[in-house]
């Protein structure tokens, strides 16, 4: 979101902290409102002016905090912002309660159009990867490069460990999950999520685990917590079944931006075997496979992901210069 007044957009307000949300050293949080949509934006001012803008989109149940480590490593490379998608992190639910991949992509596009920061280097993890794919396909003008980490693209055979997440899409299951898990402590919930998302949960420091437990407690107290999870899960399932020109694999083939794909060998939510199909679908893409990583490689191995992105950026900039020289 822009810090200047825009038609139909209320100027952003700087917030040192949103509720009890942790703000890392060097980070800033702000909120911005468009009609029917309020987003919390986490930013990290670049080390120097003139760096290209980047936007980071988290996965199902995640938040902008998932990108803090990678954003810190790339502060000398891009001008980074990470958003809490509607209903997650500190962003309230969308007014229309639409959590479909299309609606989330539309929210991201509105954010980019209002901010006028594009084209951006767009990063997406899991659900955020599906959303990023749709954004890059329908609005190539706002995406300079695309980096997808374990993107939630349709699979014919969903991994058994991912079934409970998919079941949240079934009407009535989310309230049932809430009742069945109501006696779990925030610490138990956090360990369960980390066990599912990390290739090696032992990589999580004691401090990071404590922050994660605090964030779990905060989110569980939100009245829309289960609704956001259930409706977003339903949005992913619906996107998996959508065919024709709106199908995610079809849209992957329409992406023009240079693309980096990152897959984890220990991912329990997005199958490692989908890596080569993705590499064949995104034209001219490069593939990074991390055998020891799980579902959130940008949190487990941020240095490796940062290095791979810099290589993508160098090649993209070289290609742009070559094209300009050729036209000249």
């Amino acid at each position: 979101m822009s810090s200047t007044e825009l038609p139909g957009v209320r100027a952003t307000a700087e917030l040192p902290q949103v509720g009890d949300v942790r703000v890392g050293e060097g980070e800033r949080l702000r909120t911005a409102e468009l009609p029917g949509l309020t987003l919390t934006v986490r930013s990290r001012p670049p080390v120097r002016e003139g760096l290209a803008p980047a936007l980071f989109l988290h996965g199902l149940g995640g938040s902008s905090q998932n990108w803090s480590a990678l954003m810190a490593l790339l502060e000398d490379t891009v001008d980074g912002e990470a958003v809490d998608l509607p209903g997650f992190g500190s962003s309230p639910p969308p007014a229309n309660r639409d959590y479909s991949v299309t609606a989330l992509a539309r929210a991201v596009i509105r954010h980019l159009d209002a901010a006028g920061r594009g084209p951006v280097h767009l990063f997406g993890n899991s659900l955020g990867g599906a959303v990023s794919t749709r954004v890059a396909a329908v609005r190539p003008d706002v995406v300079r490069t695309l980096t997808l980490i374990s993107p939630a693209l349709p699979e014919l055979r969903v991994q058994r460990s991912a079934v409970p997440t998919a079941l949240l899409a079934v009407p009535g299951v989310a309230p049932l999950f809430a009742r069945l898990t109501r006696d779990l402590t925030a610490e138990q919930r956090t360990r369960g999520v980390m066990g599912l998302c990390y290739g090696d949960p032992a990589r999580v420091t004691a401090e990071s685990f404590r922050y994660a437990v605090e964030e779990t407690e905060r989110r569980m107290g939100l009245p829309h917590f289960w609704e956001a999870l259930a409706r977003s899960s339903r949005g992913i399932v619906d996107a998996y079944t959508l065919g024709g020109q709106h199908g995610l694999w079809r849209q992957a083939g329409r992406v023009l931006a240079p693309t980096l794909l990152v897959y984890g060998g220990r991912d329990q939510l997005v199958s490692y075997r989908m890596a080569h199909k993705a590499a064949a679908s995104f034209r001219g893409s490069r593939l990074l496979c991390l055998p020891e990583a799980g579902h959130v490689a940008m949190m487990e191995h941020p240095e490796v992901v940062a290095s791979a992105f810099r290589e993508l950026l160098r090649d993209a900039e070289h290609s742009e210069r070559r094209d300009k020289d050729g036209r000249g």
Side-chain angles (χ1 to χ4, degrees):
M1 297 298 177
S2 171
S3 60
T4 58
E5 202 70 44
L6 294 167
V9 182
R10 197 169 75 187
T12 57
E14 293 288 344
L15 297 176
Q17 189 160 322
V18 177
D20 297 321
V21 175
R22 177 172 176 260
V23 183
E25 184 178 353
E27 293 183 339
R28 298 174 183 171
L29 286 183
R30 71 178 190 273
T31 59
E33 297 184 7
L34 287 83
L37 180 68
T38 299
L39 294 175
T40 297
V41 183
R42 183 181 301 266
S43 63
R44 189 173 193 91
V47 296
R48 64 181 184 277
E49 294 184 359
L51 294 179
L55 185 67
F56 300 81
L57 307 179
H58 62 79
L60 180 68
S63 76
S64 59
Q65 293 184 62
N66 296 163
W67 297 102
S68 289
L70 185 60
M71 288 174 66
L73 289 172
L74 292 178
E75 66 178 356
D76 62 345
T77 307
V78 297
D79 181 356
E81 288 187 346
V83 300
D84 288 335
L85 291 171
F88 293 98
S90 295
S91 293
N96 59 7
R97 294 303 196 270
D98 188 347
Y99 288 91
S100 66
V101 171
T102 296
L104 294 177
R106 189 178 299 121
V108 171
I109 290 170
R110 291 177 64 194
H111 169 84
L112 290 171
D113 284 344
R117 297 178 76 238
V120 299
H121 297 291
L122 186 60
F123 293 72
N125 170 234
S126 192
L127 168 62
V131 172
S132 296
T133 298
R134 185 146 292 171
V135 171
V138 302
R139 285 290 304 275
D141 59 302
V142 299
V143 180
R144 187 173 179 183
T145 66
L146 184 63
T147 298
L148 303 178
I149 301 171
S150 296
L153 299 175
E155 299 183 37
L156 291 178
R157 290 184 298 138
V158 177
Q159 296 187 99
R160 185 176 301 176
S161 51
V163 170
T165 302
L167 285 176
L168 284 172
V170 179
V173 169
L176 176 61
F177 272 29
R179 291 196 297 271
L180 292 176
T181 62
R182 62 189 174 192
D183 293 330
L184 293 180
T185 65
E187 181 173 329
Q188 290 172 321
R189 293 177 189 274
T190 303
R191 289 194 186 282
V193 170
M194 288 185 170
L196 185 64
C197 292
Y198 279 74
D200 180 12
R203 296 181 65 90
V204 181
T205 66
E207 181 182 45
S208 295
F209 181 75
R210 185 175 70 254
Y211 287 139
V213 171
E214 292 172 357
E215 177 65 4
T216 297
E217 290 177 330
R218 187 192 69 82
R219 292 192 199 181
M220 292 298 296
L222 298 174
H224 59 270
F225 174 80
W226 286 105
E227 178 194 58
L229 278 180
R231 289 180 180 264
S232 296
S233 297
R234 197 170 306 147
I236 294 175
V237 172
D238 289 345
Y240 272 34
T241 60
L242 195 63
Q245 64 178 343
H246 299 296
L248 284 171
W249 285 117
R250 179 74 65 86
Q251 292 192 320
R254 291 166 49 192
V255 171
L256 301 177
T259 301
L260 169 65
L261 301 164
V262 183
Y263 281 80
R266 296 181 178 180
D267 196 330
Q268 300 181 63
L269 295 171
V270 169
S271 176
Y272 190 61
R273 65 176 179 267
M274 301 304 295
H276 291 291
K277 178 175 182 178
S281 298
F282 290 89
R283 66 183 76 180
S285 62
R286 58 180 61 199
L287 176 61
L288 173 63
C289 293
L290 301 176
E292 304 301 315
H295 191 60
V296 287
M298 72 286 188
M299 299 173 73
E300 295 181 85
H301 303 280
E303 297 88 354
V304 179
V305 176
S307 177
F309 170 73
R310 289 192 182 96
E311 290 182 11
L312 175 74
L313 181 57
R314 282 195 296 268
D315 287 351
E317 291 176 340
H318 176 72
S319 179
E320 289 175 3
R321 286 194 298 269
R322 187 177 57 204
D323 290 344
K324 289 180 179 178
D325 291 343
R327 289 193 297 269

